């Protein structure tokens, strides 16, 4: 296992054990090692389109079959994917600490699959679909996914139960996430390029509220100046090292 200097983080452990919260914001990077491509990294193109151009209400209105083909491709990949050491380490940490929340931009359900419980999914989930007419939610269609999946209740077109670019986040989920960021003692930002608002503003809220922000990302991001600590490494190598250090430190 690669060694990391965890001292600045472990110095904060007494606060966490005393019940101050840890909040972990995750993005597509944490699932890269489960074989799910990020939008901006390699493999981010699909049929010559940028995902940002397909994950919009306008694209769905124009060509719902194409958008469903994109989501069917992602869903098939997801159904073959498993949580990696990064997801598993976060689930282990949640069992060790009195208060921990994961706020994720991911729609892949891998935090829950890893055993995490306290999860806020800012961008919805690929594992569900909802009716464009009656708003009922259903589990995502089984494979082979039909070209235009329809509502079991009213027969109208279903859409993926995700938040597209240009759509509002659920106000309930967002207010829970921003409150968690404001109140936490320690805030991790893992595998997100920190360019997609409003999730990118959560780290700012946390820092303003006095939290120590730690970033885990192999690449530079605009967040670094805000961070009390930066780990330029993969989530699946840093998070297990942190979880192992907590196990050693917690009596
Ligand atoms: P993003 O903006 O979260 O960027 C990905 C980041 O992950 C980059 O900064 C990259 O340097 C970093 N990264 C890559 N490999 C990593 C690793 N092994 N460990 C840690 N960090 C790593 O994500 P995006 O791809 O630009 O997507 C934008 C939106 O689409 C977000 O809402 C995102 O969550 C969503 N999306 C979700 C999934 C998913 O659910 N798995 C996949 C693609 C995109
Ligand atoms: Zn319906």
């Amino acid at each position: 296992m690669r060694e990391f200097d965890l001292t600045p983080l472990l110095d904060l452990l007494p606060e966490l054990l005393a019940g101050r919260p840890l909040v972990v914001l995750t993005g597509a990077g944490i699932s890269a090692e489960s074989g799910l491509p990020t939008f901006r990294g390699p493999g981010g193109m699909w049929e010559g389109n940028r995902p940002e151009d397909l994950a919009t209400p306008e694209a769905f209105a124009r060509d719902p079959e194409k958008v469903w083909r994109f989501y069917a491709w992602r869903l098939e990949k997801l159904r073959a994917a498993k949580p990696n050491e990064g997801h598993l380490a976060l689930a282990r940490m949640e069992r060790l600490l009195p208060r921990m929340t994961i706020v994720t931009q991911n729609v892949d359900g891998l935090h829950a699959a890893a055993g995490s419980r306290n999860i806020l999914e800012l961008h919805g989930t690929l594992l569900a679909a909802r009716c464009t007419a009656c708003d009922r939610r259903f589990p995502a269609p089984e494979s082979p996914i039909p070209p235009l999946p329809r509502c079991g209740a009213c027969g109208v077109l279903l859409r993926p139960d995700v938040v597209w670019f240009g759509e509002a986040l659920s106000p309930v989920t967002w207010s829970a996430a921003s409150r968690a960021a404001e109140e936490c003692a320690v805030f991790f930002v893992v595998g997100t390029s920190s360019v997609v608002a409003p999730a990118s503003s959560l780290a700012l809220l946390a820092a303003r509220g006095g939290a120590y922000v730690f970033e885990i990302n192999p690449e530079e991001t605009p967040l670094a100046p805000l961070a009390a600590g930066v780990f330029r490494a993969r989530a699946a190598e840093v998070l297990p090292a942190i979880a192992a250090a907590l196990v050693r430190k917690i009596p």
Side-chain angles (χ1 to χ4, degrees):
M1 196 187 279
R2 194 174 144 189
E3 298 278 325
F4 297 97
D5 178 13
L6 301 175
T7 323
L9 183 58
L10 293 176
D11 285 348
L12 296 163
L13 189 56
E15 282 197 55
L16 298 179
L17 290 176
R20 299 283 320 279
L22 166 68
V23 172
V24 182
L25 172 68
T26 65
I30 196 173
S31 296
E33 289 163 89
S34 292
L36 305 177
T38 63
F39 281 179
R40 294 188 179 79
M45 293 293 278
W46 179 83
E47 289 190 0
N49 299 278
R50 296 184 317 143
E52 289 95 325
D53 297 333
L54 291 164
T56 68
E58 293 77 20
F60 190 67
R62 205 164 41 236
D63 192 345
E65 241 185 88
K66 181 172 177 180
V67 171
W68 261 116
R69 228 168 33 249
F70 170 58
Y71 279 92
W73 171 77
R74 292 182 64 186
L75 205 50
E76 300 292 3
K77 264 186 153 345
L78 174 54
R79 285 176 173 158
K82 284 205 281 291
N84 65 54
E85 287 303 318
H87 299 107
L88 294 169
L90 289 178
R92 221 172 297 137
M93 285 163 62
E94 189 178 330
R95 289 193 289 271
L96 292 167
L97 297 173
R99 287 176 73 194
M100 172 171 157
T101 305
I102 293 179
V103 179
T104 189
Q105 295 166 269
N106 294 346
V107 292
D108 55 31
L110 290 180
H111 286 301
S116 290
R117 288 160 173 273
N118 199 11
I119 308 165
L120 296 169
E121 290 181 312
L122 288 178
H123 293 167
T125 175
L126 278 183
L127 300 174
R130 72 171 194 268
C131 179
T132 54
C134 72
D135 227 33
R136 279 194 186 78
R137 281 186 169 70
F138 300 90
E142 290 301 325
S143 314
I145 296 160
L148 289 172
R150 302 210 163 261
C151 173
C154 74
V156 173
L157 182 63
L158 292 176
R159 59 165 281 176
D161 193 20
V162 300
V163 179
W164 281 326
F165 292 99
E167 292 186 317
L169 307 188
S170 141
V172 175
T173 310
W174 176 249
S175 68
S178 44
R179 203 171 334 110
E182 279 161 0
E183 289 173 355
C184 69
V186 181
F187 189 87
F188 286 0
V189 187
V190 186
T192 170
S193 51
S194 293
V195 295
V196 183
S200 51
S201 63
L202 287 173
L204 209 59
L205 282 180
R208 276 203 207 116
Y212 291 87
V213 176
F214 291 87
E215 180 177 56
I216 298 168
N217 193 317
E219 308 287 336
E220 285 290 329
T221 78
L223 205 77
L226 204 78
V230 174
F231 300 99
R232 287 274 164 260
R234 292 179 293 109
E237 44 184 3
V238 185
L239 293 172
I242 294 174
L246 293 191
V247 170
R248 281 196 302 272
K249 288 272 174 189
I250 295 176

